[in-house]
Every structure is written in structure tokens, then in C-alpha cells.
Amino acid sequence: MSAKQLGILRVQGEKAATFLQGQVSCDMRQVTSTQAALGCTCDLKGRVLSQFIVWSPEAGMYWLILEASLIAELMQDWQKYLPFYAVTLTPETHWQAGIVRAEFPNNAHYYEVTTQNSQSLMINLGPQPYQVLLSLEVSQHNLVPLEIQETQAWLWFTSEHRGRFLPQMLNLQAWGGLNFKKGCYTGQEVVARAQHRGQVKKRLYLMALAEPAQQMYLDVEAQQVANIEVLGCTQQTTDQKYLALVVAPSKLAQAQTPIYGGGHEASWLPMPYDVEQRIDLPAKIPLTA
């Protein structure tokens, strides 16, 4: 599988905000030229079809920054709605997006946009040492692989993940990606019901593996498969172990239940945030010691 990379989908038209408001999980009324937002789209069953950062460079125009493999599929998802809103969808080709290592400034807000110069700007991603860079010359910057953000239990959703998870299973509410007050969007009733009735039994967690594995077991000898899905597995340079980003039952993680991958016991790693927390935007990024 090729390395992940970011792309930009441009949504433009007089009713672009109205169109997006009925399609995405974030509140488009909060998105401006200085404030972006994390959001997702869902199917009728509340399963995530895409995840993105959305920003407005000017009135009537929005950029969705997302893993590049999703652009064509999201355009196809929305094609049937476009005639009703006179909105155009176009992959952005002049500006590019990438991830850079950069600390957020004190008192910054989640997804706050800071202009670097006429050719680049940054979007804060919350309490982690990485930010989204938008630039006309992205190759001139010291970009890091998207997979490195998995160390922060942040997933850049790809086309292979479509239709499999509720947003809360990917911890999107913990990053401010779900607005429960904005009103309807596709899948909203299922997402809200799962949140308010406590029906989300799985979350995104970090595990350490001795070697890559796509199948996890409760008992290797008995071949008892664990109800855990591995979404990413990246080798770490510090100890040569592999960091796995998994969707797993919370009861297994909370109990530190022994799990095996690749014939070796895996380790549950501490999470950099509370997986059940809910961030409501706009919100300031908490300062760390």
C-alpha cells in the first residue's frame, strides 16, 4: 500500500455553506478564514465515509483537506446533490497540503489558522506537536509522514476505512469533530443516539507490537480471534517495535486484557487523551506542563 498523502477538495458556490451544513458533522457557521474545523461525512447508518479539516479561504469557498484517496469517492458521494445547490467540486491543484512538526502557540484554539506568508499558512490540530501546512510550495518544507500522527492516536481516514465505523469509534468527538447542536446531516440521528445512550462500545486505541499484525488474538494456541481491527501499524525508531492504531472494545483496553499479534503478546499503550472526552468547538487547546 502506498504512503498516505493529503489532498484538497475545493467546494465553491453561493450556497456552498448551506450544502455542506447538511452533509458534514461540524458546524459550518464556525468555519472562517481564521478558523477551520474537523469534520466527517457519514452514511445513513452513521458510519464514516470521509474525514477532513475544512477551511474557508474566502466567502463562498471551502477547502476540505483530507487523505488524497478519498477525494474522488467524496465527489461521487455528493454528485447527486450538486444541481440543487449550484455548487462545484474541484480538486485543488495550485495549493498543496502536508503535515509539519510545529508546536502550537499559547492560547491557540483547536484548528485555528495562522498565516505564515503569502504562500503558506498553518492549521493547529490541537494538543499535539503537528500541524497542517497549506502552501504553494509544500515541497520546500520539512514534511513528516501522515503515519507519524498515529503516535498521537490521530487517524488520517482513508478509502479502505469507509463505511466501517461510527465517528466515536475513531474518537472524533475527542478532537472536536462532532457538533451535537448544529442540526441534521446524513447519519446524524444514529451518531447522536449512540452518543447520548452510551452505545459506543469501541474506541480508537494504541498498542505496541513486536512485529506487524493485521489479526489480533485473545488466545493464540486456540486461535481465538479478538474483536479488534488494526487500522495502522508503523515501526518506531526508538525501540524497533511497531505502533498499532486499533479500534477495540473499551472493556478490553480498560482491563488491559492480554492480546496477541504476530505470535507475540501486544501491549496496551497509554492514550494521550481521554477517549471518551468531548470537545465542543470553538475551544482553546489546553496547555501542557
Side-chain angles (χ1 to χ4, degrees):
M1 185 176 63
S2 60
K4 296 179 183 178
Q5 59 181 348
L6 293 181
I8 302 172
L9 176 62
R10 187 169 69 239
V11 183
Q12 190 168 7
E14 185 177 343
K15 296 183 178 180
T18 302
F19 165 70
L20 289 171
Q21 185 74 345
Q23 299 294 329
V24 305
S25 64
C26 52
D27 191 342
M28 293 303 300
R29 293 170 295 187
Q30 297 176 338
V31 178
T32 67
S33 61
T34 58
Q35 180 64 57
L38 172 67
C40 68
T41 60
C42 299
D43 61 19
L44 292 173
K45 296 180 180 180
R47 266 50 183 182
V48 178
L49 296 177
S50 69
Q51 174 190 327
F52 48 79
I53 305 292
V54 57
W55 171 63
S56 178
E58 61 184 67
M61 181 187 295
Y62 296 90
W63 287 5
L64 273 62
I65 303 141
L66 68 170
E67 206 281 324
S69 69
L70 288 168
I71 291 179
E73 295 191 69
L74 187 54
M75 291 177 67
Q76 183 63 38
D77 291 343
W78 284 347
Q79 198 65 41
K80 58 182 175 290
Y81 302 113
L82 301 185
F84 301 101
Y85 293 92
V87 168
T88 60
L89 305 178
T90 312
E92 173 61 36
T93 56
H94 297 293
W95 285 75
Q96 296 174 303
I99 300 297
V100 294
R101 186 176 181 88
E103 298 291 343
F104 59 87
N106 289 340
N107 297 317
H109 285 76
Y110 280 80
Y111 314 111
E112 183 176 338
V113 181
T114 55
T115 301
Q116 304 298 300
N117 51 54
S118 61
Q119 295 189 331
S120 65
L121 54 87
M122 296 273 207
I123 301 176
N124 292 318
L125 293 182
Q128 57 171 304
Y130 304 104
Q131 297 185 24
V132 169
L133 169 74
L134 296 176
S135 176
L136 288 170
E137 298 289 345
V138 74
S139 61
Q140 296 184 7
H141 297 266
N142 188 22
L143 301 182
V144 298
L146 268 60
E147 288 81 0
I148 199 170
Q149 282 191 275
E150 293 174 5
T151 63
Q152 308 298 312
W154 169 290
L155 173 72
W156 280 105
F157 190 92
T158 69
S159 58
E160 66 180 303
H161 303 135
R162 281 169 55 94
R164 295 166 55 188
F165 308 106
L166 289 170
Q168 295 95 323
M169 293 179 182
L170 304 177
N171 301 349
L172 289 189
Q173 88 295 332
W175 290 98
L178 297 179
N179 187 299
F180 293 98
K181 299 178 181 178
K182 61 161 285 184
C184 294
Y185 58 90
T186 303
Q188 177 265 338
E189 289 187 5
V190 177
V191 174
R193 185 164 58 246
Q195 180 75 18
H196 299 311
R197 293 184 180 179
Q199 296 173 335
V200 182
K201 305 302 182 184
K202 287 184 171 184
R203 302 284 183 177
L204 198 65
Y205 292 100
L206 292 171
M207 301 190 78
L209 307 178
E211 59 184 84
Q214 288 299 315
Q215 188 72 70
M216 309 296 283
Y217 295 90
L218 288 167
D219 188 318
V220 178
E221 292 185 1
Q223 292 292 289
Q224 184 181 359
V225 176
N227 186 19
I228 295 175
E229 297 186 65
V230 180
L231 304 189
C233 195
T234 307
Q235 188 171 21
Q236 303 301 291
T237 56
T238 52
D239 55 11
Q240 299 303 305
K241 288 189 175 182
Y242 288 81
L243 181 143
L245 198 59
V246 304
V247 172
S250 295
K251 63 181 181 180
L252 295 184
Q254 292 165 0
Q256 298 285 288
T257 302
I259 299 294
Y260 300 86
H264 303 277
E265 184 171 354
S267 302
W268 295 98
L269 296 177
M271 291 292 288
Y273 56 86
D274 179 356
V275 298
E276 296 189 7
Q277 74 180 5
R278 171 178 153 186
I279 300 295
D280 294 316
L281 301 182
K284 284 192 175 182
I285 300 171
L287 296 177
T288 56

